Amino acid sequence: REGLRLRRSRNVIIQNLTISGASVAGVYISDEDYARPGEPAQPRSAEGYGDVTIQRVNILKTGPKGQRHAMALMGLENVRVEQCAIVGWGGSGIEIVACRNVHVSQCSVRGLDDFTQNQGIRIRAGSEHVVIDQCRLESPGAFGISIGGTSKPVEFRLVPSTAPASARTIEANDVSIERSIIKGGEISVDIISALNCRLRSNSIINPTACVIRAASLKSAPPSRGELAVEGLHLTSNLFIWEAGRIQRLMDLTNSVDKSMVQVEQNLWWSPETDAEKEHRGNVEGTILFDQVLNVDPRLDDSFHPANSAAELFGTFGP
């Protein structure tokens, strides 16, 4: 079932492993504090759980269908995931639930045929202070990186049970995606009910639906109130899509205050016709600087721009 399962762990280092063919999860690390059906709830330790490092772990062919995550991190603090390779999964390549201070760096996440692969990386249920840096996601499924969602109240482990219901309305806070490559998939970055998210110096290549989608949702039950998207910041990214393939460039729903989406200078490129440009819409949000729209970066096989006019943008920028 699970390749490796740890419960209520502190001060753990996992390194130099290959886990292949797990049916439920490749690596599953959880505080296991919330109540499961038929089990009494147990109080969370005042010291918390975490201080976990995962290095050079390969997780292959997990699932292949349903919510079967290659790596699941739940209710943890101070986690580092470094130089790991994830290939083929059902739900998320990396699922981050109710975690604080997580740094994922230099990891590759690659989808396979015949695996459902809902998203490459998902961050939700009150997770905060999360950095995705120098990662490479290819064919990640419906969503490359999903920030937020509609988690159940019981999943917000880091919020004290005595806190008001409004404390469980924000799915993610302070999330940075930096110097990473997201190639393929339907929506490259999906943001639901999250605060203070930053996309900086990423190369986002050939999504089939849209580059970025953001939504603020009214949740059920109504007592949870409205879930907001605020503080989304885009800078020095390189966005490329195939002519005629993309449905919309950006999709900021009517529930999102566009003044909360700050757009510094980015490069947007596709060899599309004027009619195709009109169909897919424009860059949305508060435009702080002119966008670069007519420069073909001419990416080589490693996704490095051969055109010097594009060198300031994307994963290989300054």
Side-chain angles (χ1 to χ4, degrees), residues 139-210:
S139 303
F143 309 107
I145 297 179
S146 181
I147 305 173
T150 53
S151 302
K152 299 176 182 178
V154 73
E155 294 182 291
F156 286 73
R157 329 269 239 275
L158 300 181
V159 179
S161 59
T162 55
S166 60
R168 295 175 174 80
T169 62
I170 301 304
E171 289 277 343
N173 178 37
D174 187 21
V175 176
S176 295
I177 304 171
E178 304 176 355
R179 298 182 293 175
S180 294
I181 296 171
I182 305 174
K183 182 177 184 293
E186 297 176 23
I187 297 174
S188 300
V189 179
D190 188 49
I191 302 170
I192 299 177
S193 310
L195 305 180
N196 305 314
C197 298
R198 295 168 293 279
L199 276 68
R200 182 180 68 86
S201 299
N202 300 288
S203 297
I204 294 180
I205 303 166
N206 294 343
T208 59
C210 69

Side-chain angles (χ1 to χ4, degrees), residues 20 25 29 40 50 63-64 101 104 119 130 154 157 162 170 173 176 188-189 210 220 250 263 268 273-274 280 300 315:
S20 182
I29 307 176
N101 301 329
V104 181
Q119 52 269 321
V130 178
V154 73
R157 329 269 239 275
T162 55
I170 301 304
N173 178 37
S176 295
S188 300
V189 179
C210 69
M250 297 177 67
V263 184
W268 311 75
T273 65
D274 289 341
R280 53 79 173 158
D300 62 21
T315 304

